[in-house]
Amino acid sequence: MENVLMLFGGFQTVFAFDNLAACLLGAVLGLIVGAMPGIGSLAGCALLLPLTYKFSPTTAIIMLGALYYSNMYGGAFSAILLNIPGDSPAVMTSVDGYPMATKRGRPGQALFVSNISSCIGGFIGILILTFTGPALAKVGLLFGPAEMTSLLLMAMTSVGWLMGENPIRGVISTLLGIILATIGMDTLSGSPRFNFGSLYLMGGIPFIPFVIGSVGFAQIIKIMASRGSLSSQLVVNKLTIRGSLPSLSDLKRLLPPALRSGVLGTFVGVLPGAGATTAAFLGYAAQRAFKSKDPLGSGAVEGIAACESANNAAAAGAFAPLLALGIPGSGTGAVLLGGLIMWGLTPGPLLFSKSPDFAWGLIASLYLANLVALAISAGIIPFLVKILSVPVKLMIPLITVVCFVGSYSSSNSMYGVCIMLASGVLGYILDRNKYPIAPMLLAFVLAPMLESNMRKAFIISGGSVDIFFSRPISLAFLFIMMALILFPVIKAIIRALRK
Amino acid sequence: MRAYLKPGTIIPFCSGALSVFWIVYGLTRHGFWDSSKGPLPGFVPVLMAALLFVVSVLGFIGSLKVKTTPDRLENWTILLAAGITFALVFLIGMIAALLVFVFVWLKFYEKTGWKNTGLILLISFGIAWGVFVLWLGVPFPRGIIIDAIAGM
């Protein structure tokens, strides 16, 4: 009850004119930044941080919080319409979003499903944050290196093993992602590794150009190979909200995965370092255990709902350790933490009692940002859908331009463009030979975290693998991972025996 | 032009070769395990490369049975165009190179009308300059020619 009263106080803070304007501005900028490949929430918050010097801390955090939050909405736009994820959490959205928009000819519905699921996931995340924030943050601290290693192994295995027609191809794709991620600095010692004397490779392969290339530029090469059969033949819905609305059946289909992923995503968001990307991948992997009307990966409503709900919920969940313990859950969280310190606030358990206006104002602003982002998205969907009615021959140079500027801007170097082109070729060859791309991207993002935690766990245990089996949480994740690996094998054996 | 690229077993073969290289390079340059320090920088790369080698062998055996259609070289025209644009960036800068690419691609490769070419050029300029330079302040390279003119 006390939390509800504090939340009402937070709403009073948010509805002050300055804060309301900051929240609206943050939400709009977040949508734009999210939709632009190569920028993402981290760069968006970092770019806007200097603008907040003259704001009060509450107004500043409200704007940045709204930006971070609505960024998750925006990332899905380019993922669904162009197959270019705006940010890493949107990678999984493109797996079902793009086929639903193009192959099934329902781009408006795909965007609406994504936005409604984001809203549901977001609300679940914020509700859990409102009532259990500080307690939830303490649960996150139970995850040590061994638990994180097992969780990450489970996430990678489930996506790699279960995605696509052939598990071997999924695993090859996953391991390729890990191998590529080991190029650059060693995560613990900081010494250069697999850089072959190159200064560029010493910094590793930058993720944004890698994802823009392997998904976006590869898509252009793919379009070149199948000209005339893709978007150009689409019958795009009318330029109205009604023409883009999802059916009642779509809503019924999106609700269960959105609710499940909302809870799962919040919990993943609380874990230090896990973030919205891990949540989206886990949400999608978890959906594989449940029925979907259409097969996942072919434009299934359930696939979009599972990952979009999870990543928005994780964005909300990430505020729990940030506010209650001062531990950022992601790169964006670290920028926000920098902001808190810059504004003279000390995050920790006392933040909620010492600066209630600030803490509860931020939480209240997330509710508002969630609604604002949904309303704005709903309004612009009919216009966004028009993108798909543009002839393919005009889209090819336009997407290439986005790939170039997006990959350059993330690294401020032509090295980024070089990586984009190379990974475009890799992505196309993989896709053409039916190797799923998403496991490679997931593994690439999570590999540094996996390596760091795995090595820390071995150092703690003195080189013994017992540490992974003696801790209950770690053991549970390993058990789930083995079950996920063995389930398709046993299923195939039973099917073969029946024949 | 009906030249073909040979697909099929190329991915498991390349990933297998890459894994062998990673194991050898990782073990010799970065080390695997130290009795006092524990896992060394080569630990995870070597471990994962060993796993990759095993699955690549399995994948290679599996891919021998799969029939795939060859790829036409024409599909790679966009990569050639992007490569030329990449080189052009160093000469005339990012924005000018991209505009030249858009113009040449639409006008000479796609044979698009002036109206659509102009529209796409305008949108491309709007994204590259309006959003990335003006709003986000991304310092795109100006190219040696523009730099030389500016320095005169």
Side-chain angles (χ1 to χ4, degrees):
Chain A
M1 191 62 195
E2 190 193 348
N3 286 11
V4 177
L5 291 174
M6 298 302 274
L7 182 65
F8 276 118
F11 274 114
Q12 280 180 339
T13 308
V14 170
F15 283 112
F17 179 76
D18 288 1
N19 297 339
L20 192 63
C23 183
L24 291 173
L25 181 67
V28 173
L29 290 176
L31 281 171
I32 299 169
V33 163
M36 284 287 164
I39 306 174
S41 62
L42 176 59
C45 283
L47 284 165
L48 288 177
L49 197 60
L51 296 182
T52 63
Y53 285 141
K54 289 186 179 176
F55 289 4
S56 76
T58 310
T59 309
I61 193 72
I62 283 173
M63 188 168 93
L64 293 182
L67 183 144
Y68 171 48
Y69 198 72
S70 59
N71 178 77
M72 298 294 154
Y73 278 78
F77 293 163
S78 53
I80 289 171
L81 296 174
L82 304 173
N83 203 16
I84 304 176
D87 202 358
S88 56
V91 168
M92 290 312 292
T93 311
S94 64
V95 174
D96 275 290
Y98 188 68
M100 185 169 170
T102 53
K103 287 181 187 162
R104 295 187 187 275
R106 306 181 71 211
Q109 284 76 5
L111 288 167
F112 260 110
V113 165
S114 151
N115 285 334
I116 294 169
S117 309
S118 294
C119 187
I120 293 171
F123 265 116
I124 293 171
I126 308 165
L127 274 174
I128 296 174
L129 178 69
T130 305
F131 292 102
T132 63
L136 202 62
K138 283 175 190 161
V139 174
L141 287 184
L142 294 174
F143 277 66
E147 287 80 6
M148 283 305 289
T149 304
S150 303
L151 173 73
L152 293 168
L153 280 175
M154 187 193 76
M156 287 186 188
T157 311
S158 56
V159 174
W161 189 254
L162 300 175
M163 192 170 265
E165 300 162 10
N166 186 332
I168 295 288
R169 288 180 186 159
V171 176
I172 289 180
S173 182
T174 306
L175 290 166
L176 272 177
I178 298 178
I179 292 282
L180 291 175
T182 59
I183 296 171
M185 294 281 192
D186 172 35
T187 49
L188 287 190
S189 67
S191 59
R193 187 174 61 173
F194 296 102
N195 68 324
F196 314 108
S198 161
L199 281 175
Y200 286 115
L201 285 179
M202 199 188 280
I205 297 174
F207 177 71
I208 295 294
F210 183 63
V211 75
I212 290 176
S214 57
V215 182
F217 194 66
Q219 182 64 29
I220 298 173
I221 307 175
K222 205 171 145 189
I223 290 172
M224 288 290 291
S226 56
R227 284 168 74 113
S229 61
L230 280 169
S231 318
S232 55
Q233 290 181 351
L234 274 177
V235 179
V236 176
N237 296 319
K238 283 180 187 173
L239 195 68
T240 58
I241 291 183
R242 187 176 284 181
S244 311
L245 282 175
S247 64
L248 196 63
S249 156
D250 291 332
L251 294 175
K252 279 182 187 169
R253 285 169 66 188
L254 78 82
L255 202 58
L259 292 173
R260 273 193 302 268
S261 287
V263 178
L264 175 74
T266 310
F267 180 68
V268 176
V270 169
L271 304 179
T277 310
T278 316
F281 280 101
L282 275 173
Y284 193 84
Q287 181 53 34
R288 293 201 160 260
F290 297 91
K291 273 189 180 172
S292 303
K293 194 178 168 189
D294 302 309
L296 288 184
S298 68
V301 167
E302 293 85 352
I304 303 173
C307 48
E308 273 301 309
S309 170
N311 70 32
N312 270 55
F319 279 100
L322 179 70
L323 296 177
L325 302 169
I327 300 171
S330 62
T332 314
V335 173
L336 294 176
L337 178 67
L340 291 176
I341 296 164
M342 185 180 86
W343 303 317
L345 293 159
T346 312
L350 295 178
L351 184 74
F352 284 86
S353 52
K354 277 189 175 173
S355 311
D357 278 2
F358 178 85
W360 289 102
L362 169 65
I363 293 174
S365 76
L366 294 180
Y367 282 97
L368 190 65
N370 203 19
L371 285 177
V372 169
L374 180 71
I376 296 172
S377 305
I380 59 173
I381 281 173
F383 300 97
L384 288 171
V385 165
K386 266 306 242 191
I387 290 173
L388 285 181
S389 64
V390 176
V392 163
K393 67 174 185 179
L394 301 182
M395 284 305 286
I396 289 172
L398 207 54
I399 299 174
T400 308
V401 168
V402 173
C403 288
F404 262 77
V405 292
S407 52
Y408 181 91
S409 65
S410 66
S411 56
N412 274 348
S413 152
M414 286 304 283
Y415 170 60
V417 181
C418 204
I419 291 293
M420 182 274 290
L421 294 173
S423 54
V425 175
L426 175 69
Y428 174 69
I429 294 172
L430 287 174
D431 184 72
R432 202 175 184 288
N433 290 286
K434 296 188 172 114
Y435 283 76
I437 307 285
M440 179 175 75
L441 298 175
L442 165 76
F444 188 84
V445 179
L446 300 183
M449 214 192 310
L450 171 74
E451 178 176 12
S452 158
N453 281 295
M454 189 189 273
R455 283 171 62 188
K456 277 179 198 163
F458 275 119
I459 291 168
I460 292 167
S461 69
S464 168
V465 290
D466 287 350
I467 190 168
F468 300 108
F469 300 99
S470 58
R471 292 169 180 249
I473 297 173
S474 168
L475 187 65
F477 286 133
L478 290 177
F479 181 76
I480 297 169
M481 184 183 85
M482 287 311 294
L484 285 168
I485 293 173
L486 293 176
F487 179 68
V489 179
I490 295 167
K491 207 171 145 185
I493 293 170
I494 292 170
R495 201 177 291 164
L497 286 173
R498 275 185 189 162
K499 278 182 184 174
Chain B
M1 190 164 63
R2 302 289 294 172
Y4 292 110
L5 293 172
K6 196 174 185 241
T9 55
I10 195 162
I11 293 172
F13 178 79
C14 289
S15 62
L18 179 76
S19 65
V20 171
F21 175 74
W22 230 249
I23 292 168
V24 174
Y25 198 91
L27 285 174
T28 53
R29 297 290 182 97
H30 304 303
F32 187 76
W33 193 275
D34 184 273
S35 52
S36 56
K37 289 179 189 168
L40 294 173
F43 177 71
V44 168
V46 170
L47 203 67
M48 294 300 161
L51 268 174
L52 179 61
F53 180 75
V54 175
V55 285
S56 296
V57 171
L58 292 174
F60 187 81
I61 295 165
S63 68
L64 290 172
K65 301 169 196 164
V66 181
K67 283 182 182 173
T68 47
T69 50
D71 206 359
R72 291 184 311 137
L73 268 178
E74 281 169 42
N75 301 344
W76 298 90
T77 322
I78 187 70
L79 186 68
L80 179 72
I84 294 169
T85 309
F86 181 86
L88 214 55
V89 171
F90 294 97
L91 279 178
I92 57 171
M94 176 70 91
I95 293 178
L98 288 174
L99 294 180
V100 168
F101 158 72
V102 171
F103 179 76
V104 173
W105 184 268
L106 288 176
K107 205 68 211 143
F108 299 103
Y109 185 80
E110 302 283 9
K111 307 211 180 331
T112 313
W114 283 105
K115 190 183 155 193
N116 280 337
T117 306
L119 189 69
I120 298 297
L121 272 171
L122 203 68
I123 295 170
S124 303
F125 183 72
I127 293 171
W129 189 76
V131 177
F132 284 86
V133 177
L134 209 63
W135 182 42
L136 296 168
V138 177
F140 284 131
R142 295 194 301 176
I144 49 174
I145 294 176
I146 308 286
D147 276 342
I149 294 168
M152 276 165 71

